[in-house]
Structures are given as C-alpha cells and as structure tokens.
Amino acid sequence: MNPSDPRVVLQQRREKLAQHFCGPAILWSGSESPRNFPANRFPFRASSHFLFFAGRSLANAAIHLEAGKLTLFMDDADANDALWHGPSPRRQEIAKQMGADQDYPLSKLASWTQDVATIPVQDSATRQIQEKQIGRTLGSAKQLQGHNRQLAKAIVAVRMIHDQSAISSIREAAAVTVKAHLAGMTATYNAQTEAEIRAAMEAVIMAHNLTCAYNSIVTVQGEVLHNQSYHRPIRAGDLLLADVGAEKEGWASDVTRTWPISGSFSSTQHDIYDIVLAAHDICIAKAAPGVEFRDLHLLAALTLAEGLVSLGILKGKAETLVERDAHALFFPHGVGHLLGLDVHDMEDLGDLAGYAPGRKRCDRFGLGFLRLDRPLQKSMIVTIEPGFYQVPSLLKNPERQSHYQDCINWDQLVKFKDVQGIRIEDDILITAKGAEVLTAALPSVPSQIESYMNRCI
Amino acid sequence: MNPSDPRVVLQQRREKLAQHFCGPAILWSGSESPRNFPANRFPFRASSHFLFFAGRSLANAAIHLEAGKLTLFMDDADANDALWHGPSPRRQEIAKQMGADQDYPLSKLASWTQDVATIPVQDSATRQIQEKQIGRTLGSAKQLQGHNRQLAKAIVAVRMIHDQSAISSIREAAAVTVKAHLAGMTATYNAQTEAEIRAAMEAVIMAHNLTCAYNSIVTVQGEVLHNQSYHRPIRAGDLLLADVGAEKEGWASDVTRTWPISGSFSSTQHDIYDIVLAAHDICIAKAAPGVEFRDLHLLAALTLAEGLVSLGILKGKAETLVERDAHALFFPHGVGHLLGLDVHDMEDLGDLAGYAPGRKRCDRFGLGFLRLDRPLQKSMIVTIEPGFYQVPSLLKNPERQSHYQDCINWDQLVKFKDVQGIRIEDDILITAKGAEVLTAALPSVPSQIESYMNRCI
C-alpha cells in the first residue's frame, strides 16, 4: 500500500503506541454539544486523541487499541436519519477505510472495558457514558494516575513527533491561514469595525471548507490576550492584532500578525514592532533539535528587554531585567507551545506533553505561563509568538509598580501609548538542522506589511 | 423609566411569569463547552430561558425568580482573568444593569434551592452542577413533571407572545439575514463550491458582529434536509438551497432561499419553484390570529398537491392526495415553527410550546414532523417554509412506492430531475389582522432572484 494511504498512517500510529504502551486502551470520540436545544448543536469536533488514531471525525464512537490492533465501536445511523442527514456510510465500510481489524455496535463495548486504560474526554455528556461503561470515575485528564497516566504518556510520545501525514495537514491549514491573514490586511482599508476584519479572515477559512482551530482574536485591544469580542470601531492610529488559525481535519495552525489600521506604522509602533520581530526572528533562527524551548523563551525575553532598554522604556542591564522578570511586564506569556491536533497540543493532559518528565511549571512571573519546557526534537511543530503589551492589570498593579520602580521609565513609556498590543506568531516545523517556517509566505516585516496593505490604494 | 429600558423589559417579563407561576424558580445560564481542551471552547451560548429573564449572556450564572423579584448569582472574575480577558464588570454592576433586586456569589445559591422549580439546562456539565445544587435528578427537559412542568408551561406562555424588545431584536437579526442571502446570491457567480457561498453569507453575519442562529445549510443537495457539509462543487444546472439565519443577542432569524447556480431557473425548476412559492404565499396571506397553524400546514400541502397534479407528477384529486399524505413524499416536514430565542423556539421542552394543551404529535406520515399545532396569536413569530424535495430514502422506499403507486407518475417525475430540493422560508410576525413578513426585503419571486443575481454581469 501507498505509505500515505490513511490505513498505513493509522497502522503506524498504532504500532508506535504499542511500543510505548502494552495494555489495551479505549478512546471515545465525544458527542455534539447542544447549543440551546438538542437538535441545535455546535459543529462536532472529535476528541483529538481519538482523531489521531481513528483518522476520521466520528461522533458517538469509540476505538479499542491493543498491540497495534484497532477495533471500532459505533452504531449505524437509523433509517430515519437519511431524511435529515442523507445516506451515511455503514460502520463496516468506515472500519474498512480506517483499516480496523474488527468493528462492533456500541452495545458490545461493555465486554471490552475490563482493565483498559483511557483518557477522559472533554465533553461532559460523553464523559458520563465513558465512566459508566468503564465502571469507574476518571477524574480530570490533567491528573491521571496509574495505567491511564501511562497511556497518556505513551500518546504524548507518539503525538509529539509528527508523521508526514500530520505535517502535510498542518501545512495545508497553515497555507489557508496565510490567505486569511492577507484577506484581513486587504479588508482593513474599508472596514469600520473589528468584526468586519474578522469576517473577511474567517470567510477565507470557511471558503476552503475548513474550520477555525480556535476562537479568533481580531482586535485593536491586543493587550487583552484572549480578547474574543469584535464590536470595537477601528481608527486610523490603532494597531490591529489578529490571531486566527485554520484547522484541517483537526490539524491546527495558529498565526498572529499585527498591522496598522491606517496602512502605515507610526514611528513608535514601528520601534516596538521591530523589537518584537527581532525576538521572533532570533527564536526561529536558533530553533533546532536539542535546543531547550525554555532557552528560546528566555532569548525572546532578553531580546525584548534589550530593545526596550534601547528605547529608554526599561532601565538597567537586559540580563538583569530578565532575571528579575521585568520583561514580563510587557511580555507576560510564553514564547510558544506545541501545535498539532490541538492548538495547544495535548493541553487536555495538563503539562504532561508540554513539560519534560521531572519538570514543573515555575511560579516565576516571567515563566509561569510558559506552556512548553522540553528540548526540541525533529518533527515537532511549535509556535514562536513573542509579544509586547501594555496590560493595565499588570502596569497599574501597585505591587508590580513598586517592585519594578527602578526598571521602568514611565515618562518614556507614555510616548508609546499608541502601542497597546503587538504579537507576531508563526508555526515552525523542527527539521534535522533547524526549523522551517510553515507560515513563511505571510509578511512579518513592517515594510512588507505596509506595501501589501497599500498595494491597491 | 423608558419602556424600552432593559430593566423595564425584564421587569415586565418577570411580572408576566409571576401571573402564570407563583412559586420560586431558578434558571441556570450554562457554561462554555470545551472543544478539545478546557481553554479551547465553543463560543458561549446562554440557555434561552435564562437569557429571556436575565437579558444578558452570562456564563456560569443563575437567576432566582419569585413574585416578580430577580436575584442574580454569579462570581466576579478572579484577578488573573483581566490579563486574558480584560476588565470584567463586577456582579453588582451587572445586577444593577439588569434591575436585579439582590445579587450574591454562587456559593450562596445552595440556601435558595429549597422547593424551587427549574428547567434542566442543555449542557451536561452545568446540568450536573444544577442537579447537585438542587439536590435531585432532573430528567429530560422534554418530560418535566410537577412544579418544573408548571414552570415550563408558564415560561411557554410568556415567551410565546413576543414583547416589543424581542420583536425588535428579531427584526434586526432578520435584516442582517436578508443581507447575508443577498451576498450569497452575489457570490454564486464566481463560486466553485458550496463552501464559498456559505462563506460569503456567514461573513455578512459576522461582519455585523452577530452569530448564526444554527448551523447553516448551503447546498446543491437540498433534498438532504439538514445537510451540513459544504464540500460539493457547484454546477451551472444545480439549484442551491441556503438556509442561513443570524442571531441578535440570542434572538433568532431563520430564512431559506433556493436559487439557480447559473443565474436562471430551468423551466422545470421554475415550474416546481412556482408551486412552492404559491404554497408559501398563500400560508402568509392566510396567517392571522385565531388561524390554526396545522390548517396552514395542510393548506401548503394542498397547494403543493394541486401544483404537482397540474404538472402531472401526482395523479388524482389534490384533497384525496393530502388525506393520503401523498404530498409528504415531496414535502416531508412541517410548514413552520415558533421562532424566538431558539430557532425552533422552546424545543428543549419537547412539544410543550409547539403543541396546544391536549394535542399530541400525530403519527401520520404527512403530519409527524409538524412542530407547531396551535392557533396563531398576535405577537407570535413563526416561520413559513414549504418545500419540495426528491429524497431517495422516501421515493425509493419499496413500501412507500407500493402504497403510493397509483398517485405518482414516475415517467413525468423523471423530467424534473434537476429539481432535487427547493425551500422558501420567511419569518412572519402575527399582527392584529394578519402577518408581517420580517424578511420581506429578500426576493422570493424567480424573476426577482434572477435579476438580482444577474444585475452585475
């Protein structure tokens, strides 16, 4: 069979899992979440662990994995379903397409659950079914114990290093995401609100019949890190921060650009943007197998600190400022995270994927939000996303002000009030010698962004 | 206070409820459903019952209602939340804006739950919290008993007859929906796939900072009634069926148009379209207070049957064909439903809202999918949506074929194979003397659709 045949890909994933975990495991796909009444549902999104091994988004299904063998459990659609949803493929046909060894209706699952390991699904309705069928409560996916934890570790080992099929899907998602961002830049000239720019961007993703990997951030208030409202009018002096990514068959991309509403960065915006871009570029240049991601984060912090010192916003030696976490006043999140079937890949398992064995989240102000602390490996995909933000809840916090009073030149900072939030985020594939930027087609240099925005005016 | 002040509107809703239900009630808002890990969630959509009385979409909140009084229970966002989501209004401020009499953190809710009635929320995670706090299992919202059922009946009485605020919101949703459909018609000329037309339509809704009231249907396979895939290429001879509606602050619109990909209906498409349009128009013309919705459904059925007889597709007398449900071979759903905060309003309560007391779903083939069987009343909003479909699972069903063998001229039907699915759906407000079409600005006559589609070519 062709190595890119889905059955071969899935077989290889199962065999890799079997190398790391020898017992039986069952993974549930989840069910559609109701929006306001049972027939009006959110679009179905299968559990990522299920999707990885099943290769296909199936609601109300489960797979049993053991020693490289796959057994599919699901029910055929009932006869009335065809009127509403058209003819559905039968379970046997689906099982054949995914290379399953056996397939049964869900009613048979009960006799397969003894001593199996599992990962608790996210949606609460399926979780209840899962716990009932497996005969015990499961607790949080973030705090697994015993053989469930062993299974989770094995899945982390397999999912973290992407196969060609996964890389190809993420590549496609990234390519559409690039188009979406370009459409956003183009739409800015005539837009009056954040919502209009968001619409132009998501329309590209939808037109390619893809979905968003996460709720888009498209805002002139980029200092609110997960801003998900879009009602604000946009004004010529504003910067727009757009963090929008497409998902292809579950595989995510995650990209941020920041551009000036007017089509031209002000000198203050340009100054800060260049610092963020320098942090972005140096992290990408240094990324390679064996490099500690935490070191990239600290390199980004140092680059930002140096830049802010050179602009007179921070005072002192950059190394010392980073040691004191002063950079985190303006860059309070991590420089990136794993990317895969989840936009923060495997974050349902807490830090099991993001943190190497034996490592724990640090409670330092400048490191607490770092989602990835591992040496990079070939075929990992991660984001690189430094930023600069003026977050009122940080900068106006009296304790922080007092702790960092000798580090900040407030009079100088005030001159940069038209720079509330900048982030530049790309998706990179770790290669044998370095990193490939999967989203390299999207301009990140200010002059390129400006010329793209102004090409039609 | 101004009668359109939200506090006045909500006060009036509570007072109406108190006229129908005298005990205490608690309504939960629900929580965000996780998409694949806890921080990556579907956009929040509050429970419609909560939204109706709270007037505001708040996650993880509950309201206690008794004798016209409102008590709000929710927790203030924690201090770290501001970094990710910006400053949040405090509970007290929200309570003031909604005219609440009192407000407490969620921890105080436990002492308010004795003997309260409630409606089970749809999302399973909140349902578990709800059952725990209320101290008993709740069963399905479709089969409520005791005082929960009394509460549900009272809510139905209040929500079914819309106040000016509700009507105004649905009007706004409908206006944006009209623009979305026009954008779909415009986009058809250059589109290659269903997905591209869907994107153009939803982009309009998104650009107005509204959401879709339900998952859009945008398909050349309109005979699949709830088709929610968009991958198909579109071809010049196809009809496109688009069932897309915006939601404004929870208030839904629900509109369908069917248009020719080429910009011109073929003569067979035109023939069938005219029959569906006649059914649509006559139902709207006859809709008025006191009119039984079931009679409108049967009128639509009769109009379709007459038309299909005149085209030689059905054989016999139209009245007899409708009595035998032969129309349902081509029109297997109801002619409409209640519209409000849910696109099928209050369908979470089963048929409690849709069916007048004492009435039950009929198991007749031609009536089983009728969602509304009540006399119309002033200030109800309903959809009128007759259709014609060639559904393989109905027309190729041997039992149906045998039962209706004397009714169908198969040789004639074959000539209409380019008409797989047509639906024309508008939203109407029942007025003192008749009905106002809230979506009247959208063309439904074939010549108008054609000239709109071809205006720029």
Side-chain angles (χ1 to χ4, degrees):
Chain A
M1 276 196 284
N2 185 316
S4 67
D5 184 307
R7 288 168 296 179
V8 176
V9 171
L10 297 178
Q11 176 68 33
Q12 287 170 345
R13 290 179 184 170
R14 295 199 293 278
E15 285 169 4
K16 275 188 209 161
L17 180 71
Q19 289 165 20
H20 291 88
F21 185 78
C22 60
I26 298 182
L27 298 171
W28 273 259
S29 69
S31 59
E32 291 165 302
S33 299
R35 188 150 44 185
N36 45 356
F37 57 93
N40 193 10
R41 299 165 180 170
F42 289 110
F44 178 63
R45 209 305 183 169
S47 150
S48 298
H49 303 300
F50 175 92
L51 202 48
F52 183 78
F53 291 105
R56 184 163 175 159
S57 182
L58 299 166
N60 306 309
I63 50 174
H64 180 280
L65 300 167
E66 187 170 17
K69 300 278 184 200
L70 169 64
T71 306
L72 171 67
F73 294 86
M74 63 176 287
D75 292 334
D76 284 323
D78 78 19
N80 292 325
D81 189 70
L83 173 62
W84 301 94
H85 303 110
S88 306
R90 313 285 293 175
R91 180 184 64 244
Q92 287 191 338
E93 190 185 326
I94 293 170
K96 197 173 161 190
Q97 288 165 357
M98 62 170 64
D101 297 280
Q102 299 176 78
D103 61 275
Y104 297 104
L106 281 168
S107 59
K108 299 288 179 195
L109 185 59
S111 60
W112 288 65
T113 55
Q114 202 177 2
D115 298 328
V116 295
T118 192
I119 309 289
V121 288
Q122 292 294 309
D123 91 279
S124 177
T126 304
R127 173 80 76 94
Q128 287 177 63
I129 293 168
Q130 187 182 19
E131 292 188 339
K132 196 174 165 187
Q133 287 181 324
I134 217 154
R136 58 183 184 278
T137 55
L138 288 166
S140 161
K142 289 188 181 185
Q143 293 162 321
L144 297 176
Q145 301 300 328
H147 66 337
N148 290 346
R149 186 174 173 85
Q150 292 311 312
L151 171 64
K153 283 184 173 177
I155 289 177
V156 165
V158 181
R159 283 182 55 185
M160 197 163 53
I161 309 303
H162 293 300
D163 55 35
Q164 284 309 312
S165 172
I167 292 169
S168 161
S169 294
I170 294 179
R171 233 180 248 288
E172 287 180 53
V176 172
T177 298
V178 167
K179 289 185 192 173
H181 280 259
L182 293 174
M185 292 177 191
T186 302
T188 300
Y189 184 70
N190 284 316
Q192 306 295 322
T193 63
E194 297 166 340
E196 291 171 46
I197 300 174
R198 175 199 177 206
M201 298 180 76
E202 292 198 15
V204 170
I205 293 171
M206 226 182 281
H208 284 81
N209 204 27
L210 302 189
T211 51
C212 289
Y214 51 93
N215 297 330
S216 300
I217 300 167
V218 182
T219 185
V220 290
Q221 217 174 58
E223 75 276 16
V224 177
L225 298 185
H226 283 179
N227 201 337
Q228 289 171 9
S229 58
Y230 316 98
H231 60 277
R232 291 172 201 81
I234 58 178
R235 289 162 308 196
D238 291 335
L239 287 175
L240 185 101
L241 185 154
D243 186 345
V244 176
E247 171 173 300
K248 163 92 183 174
E249 289 160 5
W251 295 94
S253 60
D254 182 5
V255 173
T256 309
R257 286 294 183 274
T258 307
W259 60 80
I261 297 296
S262 67
S264 301
F265 290 92
S266 72
S267 66
T268 40
Q269 289 167 346
H270 206 301
D271 285 346
I272 303 269
Y273 190 100
D274 280 345
I275 291 170
V276 179
L277 185 60
H280 165 272
D281 290 351
I282 198 167
C283 286
I284 292 175
K286 298 285 183 189
V291 171
E292 288 286 352
F293 196 76
R294 178 192 172 109
D295 289 342
L296 291 185
H297 175 74
L298 290 168
L299 179 60
L302 184 69
T303 309
L304 287 163
E306 283 169 351
L308 295 176
V309 168
S310 74
L311 291 179
I313 293 172
L314 284 179
K315 296 186 288 189
K317 212 163 158 271
E319 286 77 4
T320 317
L321 290 165
V322 171
E323 279 163 21
R324 289 184 57 193
D325 294 321
H327 65 278
L329 287 167
F330 300 103
F331 172 46
H333 60 74
V335 80
H337 49 77
L338 293 170
L339 188 66
L341 279 167
D342 308 311
V343 63
H344 296 166
D345 209 25
M346 299 177 272
E347 195 176 279
D348 63 319
L349 303 173
D351 283 335
L352 199 66
Y355 276 60
R359 298 187 189 176
K360 282 196 174 163
R361 288 259 182 162
C362 172
D363 59 6
R364 261 178 66 181
F365 175 41
L367 287 170
F369 287 119
L370 184 58
R371 296 179 196 271
L372 179 56
D373 184 3
R374 281 184 177 272
L376 293 171
Q377 292 176 257
K378 183 170 172 294
S379 301
M380 273 185 179
I381 297 180
V382 300
T383 66
I384 295 293
E385 50 175 313
F388 169 93
Y389 317 89
Q390 296 199 44
V391 183
S393 69
L394 296 179
L395 295 177
K396 294 189 176 167
N397 177 310
E399 284 171 41
R400 304 253 187 239
Q401 284 184 336
S402 144
H403 186 73
Y404 292 112
Q405 61 172 329
D406 57 326
C407 303
I408 300 190
N409 182 340
W410 294 99
D411 294 336
Q412 184 67 2
L413 181 61
V414 128
K415 298 179 190 164
F416 292 85
K417 68 180 174 199
D418 70 344
V419 195
Q420 290 301 309
I422 289 176
R423 181 163 61 253
I424 309 169
E425 177 181 27
D426 280 300
D427 302 339
I428 66 168
L429 167 67
I430 306 303
T431 58
K433 292 186 177 172
E436 177 195 344
V437 182
L438 301 179
T439 42
L442 186 62
S444 57
V445 174
S447 62
Q448 291 171 348
I449 291 175
E450 289 172 342
S451 72
Y452 187 83
M453 290 183 73
N454 295 310
R455 76 200 186 291
C456 303
I457 299 173
Chain B
M1 276 196 284
N2 187 317
S4 67
D5 184 306
R7 288 168 297 178
V8 176
V9 170
L10 296 177
Q11 176 67 34
Q12 287 170 344
R13 290 179 185 171
R14 295 199 294 277
E15 285 168 5
K16 277 189 207 160
L17 181 71
Q19 289 165 18
H20 291 88
F21 185 78
C22 59
I26 299 182
L27 297 171
W28 274 259
S29 68
S31 58
E32 292 166 301
S33 299
R35 189 149 44 186
N36 45 357
F37 58 92
N40 192 10
R41 299 164 180 170
F42 290 109
F44 178 62
R45 210 301 182 173
S47 151
S48 298
H49 302 301
F50 175 93
L51 202 48
F52 183 78
F53 291 105
R56 184 164 175 161
S57 183
L58 299 166
N60 306 311
I63 50 174
H64 180 280
L65 300 167
E66 187 171 16
K69 300 278 185 200
L70 170 63
T71 306
L72 172 67
F73 295 85
M74 64 176 285
D75 293 334
D76 285 323
D78 77 19
N80 292 326
D81 189 71
L83 173 62
W84 301 95
H85 302 110
S88 307
R90 313 285 293 173
R91 182 184 64 244
Q92 287 190 339
E93 189 184 328
I94 293 170
K96 197 173 162 192
Q97 287 165 358
M98 63 169 65
D101 299 280
Q102 298 176 77
D103 62 275
Y104 298 103
L106 282 168
S107 60
K108 299 289 180 195
L109 185 59
S111 61
W112 288 66
T113 56
Q114 202 177 4
D115 299 326
V116 295
T118 192
I119 309 290
V121 288
Q122 293 293 310
D123 91 279
S124 178
T126 305
R127 173 82 75 95
Q128 288 177 62
I129 293 167
Q130 187 181 19
E131 292 188 340
K132 195 173 166 188
Q133 287 181 324
I134 217 156
R136 57 184 185 277
T137 56
L138 288 166
S140 162
K142 288 188 181 184
Q143 293 163 322
L144 297 177
Q145 300 299 328
H147 67 336
N148 290 347
R149 186 173 172 85
Q150 294 309 314
L151 172 65
K153 283 183 173 179
I155 289 177
V156 166
V158 182
R159 282 182 55 186
M160 198 162 54
I161 310 302
H162 293 299
D163 54 35
Q164 285 308 313
S165 171
I167 292 169
S168 160
S169 294
I170 293 179
R171 232 180 249 288
E172 287 180 54
V176 173
T177 299
V178 167
K179 289 185 193 173
H181 280 258
L182 292 174
M185 292 177 191
T186 302
T188 301
Y189 185 70
N190 284 316
Q192 307 294 321
T193 63
E194 298 166 340
E196 290 171 48
I197 301 174
R198 174 198 179 208
M201 298 180 76
E202 292 198 16
V204 170
I205 293 171
M206 228 182 280
H208 284 82
N209 205 28
L210 302 189
T211 52
C212 289
Y214 51 92
N215 297 331
S216 300
I217 300 168
V218 181
T219 184
V220 292
Q221 218 175 57
E223 74 277 15
V224 177
L225 299 185
H226 282 178
N227 201 337
Q228 288 171 10
S229 59
Y230 316 98
H231 60 277
R232 291 172 202 81
I234 59 177
R235 288 162 310 194
D238 292 334
L239 288 175
L240 185 102
L241 186 154
D243 187 345
V244 175
E247 170 174 300
K248 164 92 183 174
E249 288 159 9
W251 295 95
S253 60
D254 181 5
V255 173
T256 309
R257 285 295 183 272
T258 308
W259 62 79
I261 297 296
S262 66
S264 302
F265 289 93
S266 73
S267 65
T268 40
Q269 289 168 347
H270 206 301
D271 285 345
I272 304 268
Y273 190 99
D274 281 345
I275 292 170
V276 179
L277 185 60
H280 166 271
D281 289 352
I282 198 166
C283 287
I284 292 175
K286 297 284 184 191
V291 171
E292 287 285 351
F293 197 77
R294 179 192 172 109
D295 290 342
L296 290 185
H297 176 73
L298 290 168
L299 179 60
L302 185 69
T303 308
L304 288 163
E306 284 169 350
L308 295 176
V309 168
S310 75
L311 292 179
I313 293 172
L314 285 179
K315 296 186 289 188
K317 208 159 160 274
E319 287 79 4
T320 317
L321 290 164
V322 171
E323 278 163 21
R324 289 182 58 193
D325 293 322
H327 65 278
L329 288 166
F330 300 103
F331 172 46
H333 61 74
V335 80
H337 50 76
L338 294 169
L339 188 66
L341 279 168
D342 309 310
V343 64
H344 297 165
D345 208 25
M346 298 177 272
E347 195 175 279
D348 63 319
L349 303 172
D351 282 335
L352 199 66
Y355 276 60
R359 298 185 188 178
K360 281 195 174 162
R361 288 260 182 162
C362 171
D363 59 7
R364 263 178 64 182
F365 174 41
L367 287 170
F369 287 119
L370 184 60
R371 296 180 196 272
L372 179 57
D373 184 3
R374 281 184 177 271
L376 292 172
Q377 291 176 257
K378 181 170 174 294
S379 300
M380 275 184 178
I381 298 180
V382 300
T383 66
I384 295 294
E385 50 175 313
F388 170 93
Y389 316 89
Q390 296 198 45
V391 183
S393 69
L394 296 179
L395 295 176
K396 294 189 175 166
N397 177 309
E399 285 171 41
R400 303 253 187 240
Q401 282 183 336
S402 144
H403 186 72
Y404 292 111
Q405 61 174 329
D406 57 326
C407 304
I408 299 188
N409 182 341
W410 294 99
D411 293 336
Q412 185 66 2
L413 181 60
V414 125
K415 297 178 191 163
F416 292 85
K417 69 180 173 199
D418 69 344
V419 196
Q420 290 300 308
I422 290 176
R423 181 163 62 252
I424 308 168
E425 177 181 27
D426 279 301
D427 302 339
I428 66 168
L429 167 67
I430 306 303
T431 59
K433 294 188 176 171
E436 178 195 344
V437 182
L438 300 178
T439 42
L442 186 61
S444 56
V445 173
S447 62
Q448 290 172 348
I449 290 175
E450 288 173 342
S451 72
Y452 187 82
M453 290 183 73
N454 295 310
R455 78 201 184 290
C456 303
I457 298 172

